[in-house]
Amino acid sequence: MSPDVPTASDVATSDSPTAGHPPVVEVPDGSSSVVIEDHALPRRVRRPLDLARFVLAFVITGVVVLIAWFATSTAAGIDSDIASGASLLPSVVVLALNVIGGIGTLGLPIAVAVAMVVRRRVRQLFDSFVALFLAIVILTLISVAISQVDLPRLLAALAGSASPDSATTAPILGGLIAFVTVARTMSRRPWNVLTVVVIGSLVVVQLLSGGIALAGIGISLSIGWAVGLVTRYTAGTPTTRPSGLAVAEALTRGGFPVTILQARESTNRGRRYMATTRAGGRMLVTVLDRDLEGAGLANAIWTSLRLRDDTTTGAFNMRRSLDHAALVAYAAQAAGAPEPRLLLATEVGPDSVALVYELIAGTRFSNLDEVTDDDLMGAWRAMRTLHESQMTHRSLSAQHLLRAEDGSVWMIGGETGSIAAGDVAQRIDTAELLTTLALLTDVERAVTSGRLVLGVDGLGKALPALQPVALSAPTRRSIRKSKGLMVGLRDALAEIKPGADAEQIKFERIRPRTLVMIIVGSIAGYVLLSQLAQVDLVGLLRTADWRWIVASVVFAIITYFGAAWSLSGFVPERLQLHRTIMAQIAGDFATLVSPPTIGALAINVRFLQKAGLHPALAAASVGVSQVMAFVFHILLLLTFGIAAGTQADFTFDPPRIAVVIVAAVVIILLALLAVPAVRRLIAKRVGPLLKEVVPRLVTVAQRPLKLLEGIGGILLLNLAYVGVLYACVEAFGGSMNIAVVAVVYLAGATIGQAAPTPGGLGAVEAALAAGLTAGGLDAGIAVSAVLLYRLVTFWIPTIPGYWAFNWLTKRGAL
């Protein structure tokens, strides 16, 4: 070793450093002292990878149980095949496996315990035995619980027998798995080979004995692994992170002997130090620790599921992160980009690596009192240099822009960048830098400086990527405090380049709300299918009156004309009727995978845009249509409600409970309106809608025939749906006042539109069936009528809806 390298054996540290002063390490060969200021390293750490593996073990357990439950015959066949194959094994092999398994059950824990005592890992040994005990107890309790619960199907799948005395788990096997997991025998030789031999022998012996099925062994292994992992995570693992002294040694070995090494911050991937070399140079040292592997795994999985083009590095992996950061740094250096040079990439012990960068003295943009025009221009030029070499930064927040002491602008924190970046990645970079500079100054200065450096076309590329989801986390947090910033940026870009592509790039593959809808929709679908399984649809249709079924289909067809006129009536521009009707049919297909009205609204807005309307006008027209539809929906509900409560002698005598409920609702609404906070909330939500809708409504009102067309379409749409439900009731011999049927439909439609499930699945059926039954209809007839109604208005139309959607798309109308 070079005499310049300080080691643990030839250094002397001051015996009692005063509080607040770093320890001073002196090299005895006469060279200058090494001052190391480091944070105290924890003796034990919780590794994120252990928690991720625990979740995986839990999922594996659930999958095994589900397979055993739903594929009982298959599991039994596999067990039978294994038993038949095992019977062909020579007796010598069976004897050897029994001996190895029997001796290994006791011998492996004892041998590992001795080795750990010799290595002074007594705490880890204690944790290993705790995990062994917990796994045995948990698996025993699970076995007893399954035997006591009346689930013969699950018992037979796990135990291979329906006898309550059968064992459904292997506690000793699971306990041994938990023990070796905490003891980490699989990471050291020859213990990994010995562990595999013993565990494998025990599994084969369990299968040969026939006392437990393959599924039971599977959950024993996974639960044992899960218990070991959660124990290891809870108790912590002895840290392998190198000290500051080890980092200084690694830097010296790499040709950068240091005199000062100061700890600056801890990250979710390691630590950062600021170092001063003997030549007076200053460096930024990033240490990546294997202890933190797996950090960010949950976020990486969710991001990859949610976003279409995710260019981030994902969950932390030490070697992969080192390679990526070094590659990006060397590529930026070759491109001449203003980023700190990577001076050294070196190993610091077996479980850590270090990246040493040139330290640029300066002030981050986030800490500047004032951002000048030169700073803005410098930031744009720095990004342009990257993009000219097909590279991106991917995190151009204010914390990653630096004004050096000489006034030049540098980009830092580019470890997450990418090379050979495509057009979308470069658009995201441009959008984020534009947003960051607008946050630091204002929209006008950010757009003006970007236009001067990139030109109108170059800056205009940011328009489709101006979405919060495309930005880095620090920038997203900042724009939450500036609500109108993104809108202002989009308007400014649209103003300097009127013909720019304003349609946003679809970064999201799935939204959180969509995920919730899928889950809720799946549950609703399962409930509905369970209900349908109990209904004889063929017999149901045979008993129905076909004349009324045909009438319901005719009324259902009329609804599309009403929907088309309710849209075109509020659009001053001329729309082709047949294409408008096709768009309403296509909306039925969209409703199948989205909540009620949302899919149809999106189809209508898109249809109007393709018909030549400006996006703002298209949205305003659909908004007017929806507002008017809501108003007339309420008016129809009140009208038919009064009619339903009117007796044969034309006296209005509604039920007292209905009067009480209506009065209570009115009083509650008036009381809420008396609260200033509620009024402000209503104004905040309704105000922007009225600003868009009112001007469009005024335009339409100047053409009475158009207004009459829109209102007539709304009335026709609702009355046709009432006709469908009335015909379905009559088809099964039911008899109800049409006013009552109308109230049931209008109330059920309101409830269905509030449901988050696709097409209002579950909510519509329940509301309509309950309403018809409450109106005096037989429960069996009510359910049959509702099922026929949904078949005619929801399920069957999805088939022509899919065809209409494709037809309009191919012709550029959607």
Side-chain angles (χ1 to χ4, degrees), residues 392-690:
T392 56
H393 188 282
R394 289 298 286 118
S395 185
L396 286 172
S397 62
Q399 292 80 7
H400 290 157
L401 296 171
L402 183 79
R403 180 207 287 170
E405 293 178 348
D406 61 358
S408 59
V409 176
W410 292 71
M411 296 179 295
I412 59 178
E415 297 90 351
T416 59
S418 58
I419 61 175
D423 179 68
V424 173
Q426 294 183 35
R427 287 174 183 264
I428 293 173
D429 250 12
T430 306
E432 176 147 23
L433 182 58
L434 178 63
T435 305
T436 297
L437 298 182
L439 286 167
L440 294 171
T441 57
D442 55 59
V443 171
E444 183 180 356
R445 289 182 62 190
V447 172
T448 301
S449 59
R451 182 179 181 180
L452 290 175
V453 176
L454 303 180
V456 175
D457 293 336
L459 186 62
K461 289 183 177 181
L463 185 56
L466 277 174
Q467 306 173 49
V469 70
L471 308 179
S472 62
T475 307
R476 285 200 304 269
R477 288 192 293 267
S478 299
I479 61 176
R480 290 183 189 136
K481 303 174 185 177
S482 303
K483 299 293 185 181
L485 181 70
M486 299 293 281
V487 176
L489 288 173
R490 292 183 64 85
D491 291 343
L493 292 181
E495 183 178 348
I496 66 172
K497 190 178 181 183
D501 184 9
E503 185 175 352
Q504 293 185 343
I505 299 173
K506 295 181 179 179
F507 293 111
E508 290 183 299
R509 180 184 289 112
I510 184 172
R511 296 184 179 182
R513 180 175 179 179
T514 305
L515 184 61
V516 173
M517 283 166 36
I518 291 174
I519 296 173
V520 175
S522 300
I523 296 173
Y526 178 78
V527 173
L528 182 60
L529 289 175
S530 300
Q531 296 174 351
L532 291 176
Q534 302 174 5
V535 178
D536 183 6
L537 292 177
V538 177
L540 196 68
L541 295 176
R542 285 178 178 174
T543 58
D545 188 338
W546 278 96
R547 293 171 298 177
W548 283 108
I549 293 180
V550 171
S552 68
V553 173
V554 172
F555 281 123
I557 294 174
I558 294 174
T559 61
Y560 295 108
F561 288 88
W565 286 325
S566 68
L567 175 65
S568 61
F570 298 102
V571 179
E573 294 78 7
R574 185 178 180 277
L575 299 177
Q576 295 181 7
L577 179 60
H578 73 281
R579 288 201 171 192
T580 309
I581 293 175
M582 293 290 285
Q584 309 314 305
I585 298 174
D588 284 338
F589 171 68
T591 304
L592 183 63
V593 291
S594 64
T597 71
I598 292 182
L601 284 178
I603 292 290
N604 285 333
V605 171
R606 182 72 173 173
F607 172 71
L608 293 180
Q609 290 180 11
K610 290 295 185 179
L613 272 72
H614 188 276
L617 294 179
S621 298
V622 175
V624 171
S625 175
Q626 291 299 308
V627 169
M628 296 299 291
F630 173 76
V631 171
F632 279 92
H633 189 96
I634 298 300
L635 291 176
L636 286 173
L637 183 60
L638 293 175
T639 302
F640 282 111
I642 294 173
T646 302
Q647 305 300 318
D649 57 357
F650 301 102
T651 59
F652 180 61
D653 186 19
R656 293 184 180 180
I657 185 64
V659 176
V660 172
I661 292 175
V662 171
V665 170
V666 172
I667 292 172
I668 292 173
L669 290 177
L670 292 176
L672 289 174
L673 289 175
V675 180
V678 175
R679 292 200 301 271
R680 287 194 297 269
L681 179 62
I682 294 175
K684 181 179 179 182
R685 296 292 179 88
V686 178
L689 179 63
L690 292 179

Side-chain angles (χ1 to χ4, degrees), residues 103-116:
I103 296 177
T105 302
L106 294 176
L108 181 61
I110 293 173
V112 172
V114 172
M116 295 180 71

Side-chain angles (χ1 to χ4, degrees), residues 148-355:
Q148 296 296 325
V149 180
D150 186 21
L151 292 173
R153 184 176 179 180
L154 182 61
L155 180 63
L158 298 179
S161 171
S163 173
D165 298 329
S166 303
T168 56
T169 61
I172 300 299
L173 179 60
L176 200 57
I177 290 291
F179 178 86
V180 299
T181 300
V182 179
R184 303 182 69 89
T185 59
M186 293 300 294
S187 61
R188 298 193 309 274
R189 292 183 178 181
W191 296 104
N192 53 353
V193 177
L194 183 61
T195 300
V196 170
V197 171
V198 173
I199 298 296
S201 299
L202 284 174
V203 170
V204 175
V205 168
Q206 291 283 352
L207 291 174
L208 291 176
S209 64
I212 185 173
L214 183 60
I217 294 177
I219 65 168
S220 300
L221 294 173
S222 59
I223 291 176
W225 187 36
V227 171
L229 289 169
V230 75
T231 302
R232 195 165 76 184
Y233 182 80
T234 304
T237 303
T239 184
T240 58
R241 299 179 187 178
S243 63
L245 178 60
V247 176
E249 292 178 359
L251 295 179
T252 305
R253 286 195 303 272
F256 295 93
V258 298
T259 57
I260 300 177
L261 186 68
Q262 296 176 302
R264 296 190 63 179
E265 61 179 334
S266 297
T267 68
N268 62 346
R269 300 188 174 193
R271 297 157 285 161
R272 286 197 179 97
Y273 294 88
M274 188 171 66
T276 304
T277 65
R278 292 180 185 174
R282 302 179 70 189
M283 306 179 301
L284 183 65
V285 182
T286 300
V287 178
L288 305 178
D289 297 316
R290 196 182 298 276
D291 280 348
L292 297 175
E293 282 192 338
L297 179 61
N299 182 65
I301 293 174
W302 169 239
T303 302
S304 63
L305 289 174
R306 183 185 180 192
L307 302 183
R308 296 177 183 274
D309 298 311
D310 176 34
T311 58
T312 59
T313 55
F316 171 58
N317 177 277
M318 187 185 74
R319 280 292 170 184
R320 193 180 304 146
S321 298
L322 173 71
D323 295 342
H324 182 81
L327 177 63
V328 170
Y330 287 137
Q333 182 177 339
E339 290 191 2
R341 289 189 304 119
L342 178 63
L343 304 176
L344 177 67
T346 182
E347 187 177 67
V348 187
D351 295 310
S352 295
V353 294
L355 293 159

